[in-house]
C-alpha cells in the first residue's frame, strides 16, 4: 500500500511540474522511443523515453512551435498556444518516404560515395562550428540483468540487495545526473554536476558524466575501448562501402541523404548501420550505427547501438547534437544483461573563444548537496521522463535501502551469518557487524587456496586472521589489520607476519602501513615467478627456479598525493636475512633428475647463498603523472592519467646500520612508461628503467638489481613490458648500473584483420623488443612476434609469442605461452 501511495505521488508530481508533456506514436499508435522534441530555432529540447513519453520545460505562456524529429520518420511541427500549464500535446509521426533519383551505377562508383567524399571534405568546417560551447546536460543510465542463476560456482547469489526478482531478473543500476558543460575541442572539458541520483542509495553520487560520452564522427576515430574508424574518416573508403538508400526533405527544406554503412572486412573496428548527411552543407543529420563486440575486442559484449540526433537552428545555421542514446547487450555463462544510456544536450551557447583560465586539470566537480535534490527538482529538470519500470525501481530501491540499512535489519542478517559451526575452526569463520562497519575473518586451518610447493618448504599453506573497519568509508577512510601464518611441512617451520594499514581519505589518498614478522622471500622482490607456476614447474619438471631466503623484518610506510599528479611514498624497514637450503626432493615426474640448489649464484652447490646479516633500508619514491586530470567528488578524488604524457617513477634507496659496513649502499633508480596510440593502426608502449648503485661493490646478493627473467615459457601478464622472456632469473644481476628497455607494438587487429584466413582468428599481432645493458656484459636483446586475443568464443585469454635472444650474436629461441588467467594466482 505504501508503494502504491508513493507511485501516486510520483504521478501527481509528474503532472504538476511537466509544462508541456505528451506521447509520440507512429501511424499505428505504437509509441516511438527516444524522439527528439525541440522548440523551433532554440536549444530548448528533450527526448522521449522508450515508451514515447516526453516532457518539455516551458516557463512562460505563449505561442510555441514544437518540432518532433525521429530517424526514419517525417519531422513534424506543431504550433501551440499555451495559456496555462500543464499543457498536453501528443504527436503522431509518419514514416519518411525516401526518394531515390534514377542514377547510373557503373561498378566503380555510386552516388553514396560522392556524398561521403563531400562529407569528408567538409567535416573540418562542420566540426569547427561546434568547437566551443556551454550547454546543459542530462544523462540517465540503467543496467538490467536477466537469467541470473541461483548459484555461481556454488555460492548463493541471493536477491542482490533487492535488485533481483524470483526469476533472476532486475535492474542492477539506475542513475541520473544534471550538469552544466563547458567544452572546447578536441578534449577540454569542464563539467559541474548540479544534481545526482542513484536508485537505492540516498547518499550516492552518480558516475554518469559527459566525460565518456563524446562520440564525434567528425573525428577520424571514435574511442570504444579501442579506436573505431568513423564512416567519414579521411581513410573511410579503406574500411567501408556505402549505399544510398534515398533522401528526403526535412522541415527546413533541406535534403537529407540516408546512407547505409557497410563493413569491407568483418573483424575490423568498424560500424554498421546508417549515417544521414545534409545536402550542400554535408553536415551530419543523424547516425544510427551498431558496434559488434568482437570488433572492439570486447568478446562478452554482443552488440552496442549508438543513435545520435542533430537539430538545426535557423538563426545561426548550426547543426548541433541534441540527443544521444547508447544501448548494449552482453553476457556469459548463461547470464545476460543489457544497458541503456540516454543523453540530452540543451541551451547551447556557442563561443568564439574561451578565457585561458577556463579549463583546468579538474574536469568534473559536484555542487554541494547535489545528491539531496527532492522529487520536485527532478520533476522539473528531468529531461527524459521515467518509464513505469524506472519509477517502480526508485520507489522499491529507496524503500529497501532504508530497511536494509537500519540497525535492526543489519543485526538480524549478521546474526544469521555469524553463527558458529562445528567445522569452522578447520574451514574458517567470518564475523561481520554491518551497522558498526566492522568485520573479522579467520581463514581456517586448511586453506586450500593457499597451498603451494617449493624445495625449501616442501608443501606449505597459509592460515590467518584479518580485521577491517570501514566507518567513514564515504570519505575513503578505513583500517585493516591482518596476521598470516605460513607452515612449511618439509622444513617443519611456522612463520608469522602481521600488517596494519590505515587510509585517511579519498582526496589525497594518505595512508600509513606497519608490517613485521618472518617470511620466505624471493631474492628478486618483484617476484618474477608465481607460487602456482613454480609449483607446477617443480613438481612436474623438477625445475625449481624460485630461490628463497628467510627474512625477519619490521617496517613502516607512509604515502600520499602531494600535488596534482604527484604521489610520494616513504618506507623504513629493518631486515634480518638468513640463507635457506633445500629440504625435500619430492617430485611427481622426472624421478631420476636432481633439483638445483637454493643458491641463485651457484645452483649446483649446496653452500649458503650468503652469510646471515642484518641492515636497515630507507626508501623514498615518487610517481609523477604529467598533465594529470581529475574528478572531484564529495566521496573522493579520481585521478585520470593524461594519455598525451609519460608517467615517471623516481626511487632512492639507502641501506644503513648493517651488521657489516660493506653491506651499506645507495641506489638511485627511475622508470618511464608511455603509450602512443596511432588512430586505428594500433598502439606502441614502452617501459624504460635505469639505475645506479653507490658504494655497492660488496653488498649482499639480495640487494643486487635482479631482472625479471622467465625460464618457464609461460607468461601471465596482459603485456610483456616488464620481463625478459628467455633470460635466466639471476643471470644478469648487477650491483653497478643498469638500463632496461621494454617495448611492444599492438596492432589491435590493424594488420591481422586484413590477412585472409588469419583474420578469422580475430587476433592481434604483437611485436616486442627488449634490451638489457649492464657493465662488463654485452647487451642482451630479445625480439618477439606473437598473437594475442586467442581463445574460443567469448573466452580469449591466451597469447603465444615466438622469441629470439641475442648477446654477442644469436643465443637461442623459444615459444612463450600466455595464460592471462594465471595472473590472479601470482
Amino acid at each position: 500500500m505504501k508503494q502504491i501511495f508513493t507511485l501516486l505521488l510520483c504521478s501527481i508530481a509528474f503532472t504538476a511540474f511537466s509544462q508541456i508533456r505528451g506521447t509520440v506514436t507512429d501511424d499505428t499508435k505504437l509509441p516511438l522511443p527516444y524522439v527528439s522534441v525541440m522548440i523551433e530555432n532554440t536549444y530548448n529540447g528533450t527526448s522521449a523515453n522508450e515508451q514515447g513519453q516526453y516532457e518539455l520545460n516551458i516557463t512562460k505562456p505563449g505561442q510555441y512551435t514544437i518540432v518532433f524529429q525521429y530517424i526514419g520518420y517525417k519531422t513534424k511541427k506543431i504550433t501551440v498556444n499555451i495559456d496555462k500549464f500543464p499543457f498536453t500535446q501528443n504527436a503522431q509521426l509518419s514514416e519518411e518516404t525516401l526518394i531515390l533519383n534514377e542514377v547510373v551505377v557503373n561498378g566503380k562508383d555510386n552516388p553514396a560515395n560522392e556524398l561521403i567524399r563531400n562529407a569528408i571534405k567538409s567535416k573540418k568546417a562542420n566540426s569547427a562550428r561546434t568547437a566551443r560551447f556551454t550547454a546543459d546536460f542530462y544523462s540517465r543510465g540503467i543496467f538490467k540483468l536477466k537469467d541470473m542463476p541461483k548459484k555461481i560456482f556454488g555460492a548463493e547469489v541471493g536477491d542482490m540487495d533487492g535488485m533481483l526478482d524470483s526469476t533472476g531478473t532486475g535492474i542492477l543500476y539506475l542513475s541520473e545526473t544534471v550538469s552544466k558543460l563547458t567544452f572546447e575541442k578536441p578534449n577540454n572539458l569542464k563539467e559541474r554536476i548540479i544534481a545526482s541520483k542513484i536508485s537505492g542509495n540516498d547518499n550516492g553520487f552518480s558516475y554518469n558524466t559527459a566525460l565518456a560520452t563524446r562520440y564525434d564522427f567528425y573525428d577520424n576515430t571514435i574511442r570504444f575501448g579501442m579506436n573505431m574508424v568513423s564512416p567519414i574518416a579521411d581513410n573511410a573508403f579503406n574500411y567501408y562501402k556505402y549505399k544510398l538508400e534515398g533522401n528526403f526533405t526535412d522541415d527546413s527544406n533541406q535534403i537529407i541523404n540516408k546512407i547505409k554503412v557497410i563493413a569491407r572486412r568483418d573483424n575490423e573496428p568498424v560500424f554498421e548501420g546508417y549515417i544521414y548527411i545534409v545536402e550542400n552543407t554535408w553536415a551530419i543529420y543523424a547516425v544510427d550505427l551498431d558496434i559488434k563486440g568482437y570488433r572492439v575486442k570486447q568478446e562478452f559484449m554482443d552488440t552496442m547501438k549508438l543513435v545520435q540526433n542533430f537539430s538545426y537552428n535557423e538563426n545561426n545555421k548550426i547543426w548541433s547534437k541534441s540527443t544521444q542514446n547508447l544501448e548494449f547487450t552482453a553476457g556469459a555463462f548463461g547470464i545476460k544483461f543489457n544497458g541503456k544510456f540516454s543523453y540530452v544536450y540543451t541551451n547551447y551557447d556557442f563561443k568564439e573563444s574561451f578565457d585561458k583560465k577556463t579549463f583546468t586539470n579538474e574536469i568534473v566537480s559536484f555542487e554541494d548537496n547535489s545528491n539531496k535534490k527532492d522529487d520536485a527538482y527532478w520533476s522539473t529538470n528531468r529531461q527524459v521522463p521515467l518509464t513505469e519500470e524506472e519509477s517502480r525501481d526508485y520507489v522499491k530501491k529507496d524503500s529497501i535501502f532504508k530497511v536494509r540499512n537500519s540497525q535492526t535489519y543489519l543485526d538480524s542478517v549478521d546474526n544469521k551469518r555469524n553463527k558458529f559451526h562445528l567445522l569452522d575452526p578447520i574451514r574458517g569463520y567470518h564475523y561481520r557487524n554491518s551497522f558498526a562497519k566492522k568485520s573479522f575473518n579467520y581463514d581456517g586451518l586448511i586453506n586450500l587456496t593457499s597451498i603451494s610447493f617449493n624445495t625449501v618448504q616442501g608443501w606449505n599453506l597459509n592460515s590467518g586472521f584479518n580485521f577491517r573497519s570501514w566507518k567513514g568509508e564515504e570519505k575513503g577512510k578505513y583500517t585493516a589489520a591482518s596476521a598470516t601464518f605460513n607452515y612449511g611441512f618439509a622444513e617443519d617451520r611456522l612463520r608469522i607476519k602481521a600488517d596494519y594499514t590505515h587510509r585517511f581519505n579519498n582526496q589525497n589518498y594518505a595512508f600509513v602501513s606497519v608490517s613485521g614478522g618472518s617470511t620466505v622471500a624471493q631474492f628478486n622482490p618483484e617476484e618474477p615467478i608465481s607460487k602456482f607456476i613454480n609449483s607446477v614447474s617443480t613438481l612436474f619438471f623438477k625445475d625449481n627456479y624460485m630461490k628463497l631466503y628467510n627474512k625477519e623484518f619490521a617496517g613502516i610506510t607512509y604515502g600520499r598525493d602531494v600535488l596534482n599528479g604527484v604521489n610520494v611514498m616513504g618506507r623504513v624497514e629493518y631486515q634480518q636475512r638468513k640463507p635457506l637450503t633445500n629440504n625435500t626432493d619430492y617430485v611427481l615426474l622426472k624421478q631420476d633428475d636432481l633439483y638445483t640448489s637454493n643458491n641463485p649464484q651457484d645452483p649446483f652447490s649446496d653452500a649458503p647463498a650468503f652469510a646471515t646479516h642484518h641492515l636497515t633500508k630507507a626508501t623514498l619514491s615518487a610517481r609523477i603523472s604529467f598533465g594529470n586530470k581529475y574528478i572531484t567528488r564529495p566521496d573522493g578524488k579520481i585521478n585520470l592519467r593524461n594519455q598525451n604524457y609519460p608517467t615517471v617513477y623516481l626511487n632512492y634507496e639507502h641501506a644503513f646500520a648493517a651488521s657489516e659496513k660493506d653491506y651499506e649502499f645507495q641506489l638511485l633508480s627511475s622508470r618511464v612508461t608511455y603509450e602512443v596510440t596511432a588512430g586505428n593502426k594500433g598502439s606502441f608502449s614502452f617501459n624504460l628503467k635505469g639505475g645506479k648503485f653507490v658504494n655497492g661493490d660488496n653488498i649482499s646478493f639480495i640487494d643486487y638489481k635482479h631482472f625479471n627473467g622467465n625460464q618457464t615459457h609461460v607468461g601471465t601478464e596482459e603485456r610483456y613490458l616488464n620481463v625478459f622472456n628467455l633470460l635466466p632469473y639471476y643471470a644478469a644481476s648487477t650491483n653497478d648500473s643498469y638500463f632496461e628497455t621494454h617495448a611492444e607494438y599492438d596492432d589491435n587487429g590493424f594488420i591481422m584483420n586484413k590477412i585472409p584466413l588469419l583474420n578469422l582468428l580475430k587476433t592481434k599481432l604483437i611485436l616486442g623488443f627488449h634490451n638489457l645493458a649492464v657493465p662488463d656484459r654485452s647487451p642482451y636483446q630479445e625480439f618477439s612476434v606473437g598473437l594475442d586475443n586467442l581463445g574460443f568464443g567469448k573466452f580469449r585469454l591466451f597469447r603465444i609469442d615466438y622469441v629470439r635472444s641475442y648477446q654477442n650474436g644469436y643465443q637461442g629461441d623459444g615459444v612463450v605461452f600466455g595464460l592471462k588467467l594465471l595472473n590472479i594466482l601470482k
Side-chain angles (χ1 to χ4, degrees):
M1 186 65 185
K2 180 181 177 181
Q3 290 188 356
I4 295 174
F5 181 69
T6 307
L7 276 173
L8 181 61
L9 289 179
C10 290
S11 176
I12 293 172
F14 176 82
T15 301
F17 292 101
S18 297
Q19 307 302 328
I20 301 178
R21 60 184 176 87
T23 302
V24 188
T25 61
D26 62 11
D27 286 333
T28 65
K29 302 299 179 66
L30 290 175
L32 291 175
Y34 311 124
V35 176
S36 291
V37 184
M38 303 285 295
I39 298 299
E40 187 178 33
N41 291 325
T42 74
Y43 293 112
N44 185 354
T46 185
S47 171
N49 63 20
E50 61 185 89
Q51 296 172 342
Q53 300 167 335
Y54 77 92
E55 53 183 26
L56 189 58
N57 295 324
I58 299 296
T59 59
K60 296 180 180 180
Q63 185 180 86
Y64 298 92
T65 299
I66 309 174
V67 181
F68 298 88
Q69 180 182 322
Y70 189 60
I71 295 177
Y73 286 76
K74 293 180 180 179
T75 298
K76 188 165 191 174
K77 292 183 179 181
I78 299 177
T79 299
V80 296
N81 288 289
I82 301 175
D83 55 7
K84 65 177 181 177
F85 296 107
F87 185 89
T88 300
Q89 180 62 61
N90 298 323
Q92 185 173 306
L93 304 186
S94 301
E95 288 191 30
E96 188 65 69
T97 302
L98 295 176
I99 300 173
L100 184 60
N101 297 326
E102 186 175 347
V103 294
V104 177
V105 179
N106 58 21
K108 295 182 180 180
D109 207 352
N110 65 63
N113 289 355
E114 184 61 25
L115 293 169
I116 293 296
R117 289 192 189 97
N118 288 329
I120 293 173
K121 292 177 183 176
S122 304
K123 67 177 184 174
K124 185 176 181 180
N126 282 322
S127 178
R129 296 176 70 81
T130 58
R132 301 172 191 86
F133 63 81
T134 62
D136 292 337
F137 179 72
Y138 168 82
S139 70
R140 178 153 84 238
I142 183 172
F143 288 90
K144 298 180 185 178
L145 189 63
K146 292 182 64 178
D147 303 326
M148 187 70 178
K150 301 294 184 183
K151 293 183 178 181
I152 297 180
F153 301 118
E156 292 281 353
V157 174
D159 68 354
M160 299 181 67
D161 290 329
M163 295 181 184
L164 303 181
D165 59 23
S166 58
T167 66
T169 300
I171 295 177
L172 292 180
Y173 175 80
L174 170 62
S175 72
E176 302 173 90
T177 61
V178 174
S179 61
K180 291 189 176 295
L181 304 182
T182 304
F183 181 76
E184 181 180 49
K185 292 183 180 181
N187 52 21
N188 282 332
L189 173 67
K190 182 178 181 180
E191 181 175 9
R192 184 72 171 167
I193 305 294
I194 308 300
S196 174
K197 185 178 179 69
I198 299 179
S199 180
N201 189 347
D202 289 344
N203 298 314
F205 293 92
S206 172
Y207 285 90
N208 296 353
T209 74
L211 179 63
T213 67
R214 183 184 168 271
Y215 307 124
D216 191 342
F217 286 87
Y218 290 123
D219 293 340
N220 286 325
T221 58
I222 298 95
R223 188 76 179 175
F224 282 94
M226 61 185 295
N227 287 329
M228 299 191 69
V229 181
S230 168
I232 56 172
D234 293 340
N235 58 346
F237 284 98
N238 294 333
Y239 294 89
Y240 296 104
K241 294 183 289 184
Y242 304 93
K243 179 183 178 182
L244 178 61
E245 298 270 310
N247 57 56
F248 60 90
T249 303
D250 76 342
D251 60 295
S252 301
N253 292 318
Q254 301 191 74
I255 298 174
I256 311 299
N257 298 284
K258 180 181 180 181
I259 302 169
K260 187 173 184 179
V261 178
I262 306 165
R264 287 189 177 274
R265 292 168 292 273
D266 182 52
N267 294 321
E268 293 195 302
V270 291
F271 301 90
E272 279 190 324
Y274 296 92
I275 186 168
Y276 295 75
I277 301 296
V278 182
E279 191 84 21
N280 296 323
T281 64
W282 317 116
I284 296 175
Y285 171 85
V287 296
D288 183 359
L289 297 169
D290 289 342
I291 305 155
K292 305 295 185 182
Y294 61 84
R295 288 179 175 166
V296 290
K297 311 304 180 189
Q298 302 292 327
E299 307 297 337
F300 290 100
M301 184 181 77
D302 297 324
T303 304
M304 181 180 292
K305 175 181 279 292
L306 175 65
V307 178
Q308 293 180 341
N309 286 290
F310 291 72
S311 61
Y312 183 71
N313 190 306
E314 189 70 41
N315 297 324
N316 57 20
K317 313 298 183 185
I318 292 178
W319 287 92
S320 57
K321 183 165 60 178
S322 56
T323 64
Q324 177 174 283
N325 290 283
L326 192 65
E327 297 184 58
F328 65 89
T329 58
F333 303 109
I335 304 170
K336 298 179 181 179
F337 65 91
N338 58 67
K340 188 182 303 175
F341 286 86
S342 300
Y343 311 104
V344 180
Y345 302 80
T346 56
N347 298 322
Y348 278 106
D349 184 8
F350 294 99
K351 306 287 187 179
E352 289 294 326
S353 64
F354 284 115
D355 185 89
K356 291 183 178 180
K357 296 181 180 180
T358 300
F359 299 101
T360 65
N361 288 325
E362 182 186 58
I363 55 178
V364 180
S365 60
F366 284 69
E367 284 192 355
D368 293 339
N369 299 316
S370 58
N371 66 333
K372 303 297 182 184
K373 304 295 185 183
D374 58 19
D375 289 341
Y377 174 89
W378 284 104
S379 295
T380 304
N381 292 276
R382 178 179 286 123
Q383 292 292 332
V384 182
L386 295 175
T387 64
E388 293 179 6
E389 180 186 32
E390 291 165 344
S391 295
R392 287 195 303 269
D393 191 71
Y394 271 127
V395 173
K396 173 186 173 184
K397 296 277 182 64
D398 289 348
S399 298
I400 290 175
F401 179 81
K402 289 172 182 163
V403 171
R404 296 197 175 186
N405 283 274
S406 67
Q407 183 172 1
T408 301
Y409 178 84
L410 293 174
D411 287 349
S412 66
V413 173
D414 287 341
N415 289 336
K416 183 178 179 180
R417 293 175 177 172
N418 294 340
K419 286 183 179 179
F420 188 82
H421 301 88
L422 185 62
L423 295 179
D424 285 349
I426 297 174
R427 65 186 184 185
Y429 175 73
H430 181 77
Y431 173 85
R432 183 183 179 97
N433 187 327
S434 300
F435 187 77
K437 298 185 177 181
K438 295 179 181 179
S439 68
F440 172 81
N441 189 65
Y442 162 58
D443 294 336
L445 290 176
I446 302 177
N447 184 1
L448 297 178
T449 61
S450 70
I451 294 177
S452 65
F453 182 88
N454 61 68
T455 57
V456 171
Q457 297 178 288
W459 291 104
N460 67 96
L461 56 77
N462 294 340
S463 184
F465 305 90
N466 64 73
F467 168 83
R468 184 178 177 87
S469 172
W470 60 97
K471 200 160 189 176
E473 65 177 338
E474 66 278 358
K475 298 298 183 182
K477 182 179 178 180
Y478 71 82
T479 300
S482 65
T484 303
F485 302 86
N486 174 263
Y487 181 75
F489 289 89
E491 193 183 21
D492 190 22
R493 177 169 177 178
L494 176 68
R495 292 179 174 85
I496 304 173
K497 67 174 183 177
D499 297 274
Y500 169 87
T501 300
H502 178 77
R503 190 167 76 179
F504 297 93
N505 59 68
N506 264 351
Q507 296 297 329
N508 62 22
Y509 293 92
F511 78 95
V512 62
S513 176
V514 179
S515 58
S518 178
T519 185
V520 290
Q522 294 190 45
F523 281 77
N524 186 345
E526 294 189 31
E527 299 185 345
I529 182 168
S530 71
K531 289 183 178 180
F532 177 80
I533 294 293
N534 182 72
S535 298
V536 172
S537 176
T538 303
L539 291 170
F540 289 91
F541 304 100
K542 216 160 189 178
D543 292 326
N544 57 323
Y545 296 125
M546 182 183 285
K547 306 303 179 184
L548 304 167
Y549 70 95
N550 188 82
K551 183 173 79 169
E552 296 176 359
F553 70 101
I556 183 171
T557 305
Y558 177 78
R560 58 165 292 177
D561 291 346
V562 293
L563 294 171
N564 178 42
V566 180
N567 176 273
V568 299
M569 186 172 67
R571 179 171 176 82
V572 177
E573 180 177 291
Y574 167 83
Q575 300 179 5
Q576 185 180 67
R577 293 96 163 256
K578 295 180 181 179
L580 297 172
T581 58
N582 290 346
N583 288 292
T584 180
D585 59 0
Y586 177 79
V587 69
L588 293 177
L589 299 177
K590 291 194 174 185
Q591 297 284 348
D592 296 333
D593 291 350
L594 297 175
Y595 280 124
T596 58
S597 73
N598 191 50
N599 187 335
Q601 292 180 286
D602 190 355
F604 301 103
S605 170
D606 290 329
F610 58 89
T612 299
H613 64 278
H614 67 78
L615 53 73
T616 301
K617 278 188 177 181
T619 304
L620 181 64
S621 59
R623 182 189 68 239
I624 306 172
S625 299
F626 297 98
N628 193 69
K629 306 287 186 180
Y630 62 92
I631 298 172
T632 302
R633 293 169 55 90
D635 56 355
K637 177 184 176 185
I638 300 177
N639 292 302
L640 304 172
R641 190 173 68 83
N642 191 325
Q643 302 291 335
N644 295 324
Y645 300 97
T647 300
V648 176
Y649 302 82
L650 303 174
N651 191 76
Y652 173 70
E653 185 176 320
H654 186 182
F656 60 96
S659 53
E660 293 189 27
K661 192 70 175 176
D662 287 346
Y663 289 160
E664 299 179 3
F665 68 93
Q666 299 84 44
L667 171 62
L668 292 168
S669 60
S670 63
R671 181 163 71 100
V672 179
T673 62
Y674 191 38
E675 178 177 355
V676 179
T677 301
N680 67 303
K681 298 176 179 60
S683 61
F684 177 76
S685 306
F686 65 78
N687 181 15
L688 306 179
K689 304 167 70 176
K692 170 65 178 176
F693 283 87
V694 179
N695 301 320
D697 292 342
N698 298 303
I699 63 175
S700 168
F701 186 70
I702 296 172
D703 297 310
Y704 277 46
K705 173 60 182 178
H706 307 292
F707 304 100
N708 296 331
N710 184 5
Q711 294 172 260
T712 66
H713 294 274
V714 175
T716 61
E717 302 292 342
E718 288 281 342
R719 296 178 174 181
Y720 300 154
L721 286 171
N722 196 32
V723 63
F724 297 95
N725 274 310
L726 297 181
L727 181 70
Y729 293 104
Y730 298 100
S733 300
T734 183
N735 60 345
D736 196 342
S737 59
Y738 66 91
F739 187 80
E740 295 179 67
T741 302
H742 303 275
E744 277 192 354
Y745 166 71
D746 182 345
D747 86 322
N748 272 325
F750 175 72
I751 298 173
M752 294 302 299
N753 289 335
K754 297 177 177 63
I755 303 177
L757 297 181
L758 288 179
N759 61 1
L760 300 178
L761 296 175
K762 302 177 183 178
T763 61
K764 303 190 295 181
L765 175 68
I766 309 292
L767 303 178
F769 170 72
H770 308 267
N771 182 81
L772 173 61
V774 297
D776 303 322
R777 181 184 174 92
S778 298
Y780 174 83
Q781 297 174 332
E782 289 180 357
F783 299 87
S784 63
V785 57
L787 295 177
D788 197 4
N789 203 49
L790 294 168
F792 307 95
K794 295 178 181 294
F795 301 94
R796 299 190 163 268
L797 304 172
F798 306 104
R799 170 176 169 171
I800 186 168
D801 291 79
Y802 172 69
V803 186
R804 290 176 68 91
S805 63
Y806 295 84
Q807 190 174 28
N808 283 329
Y810 170 73
Q811 285 290 303
D813 62 358
V815 176
V816 175
F817 297 91
L819 306 174
K820 288 176 274 189
L821 183 63
L822 295 180
N823 189 39
I824 63 175
L825 300 174
K826 291 190 72 174

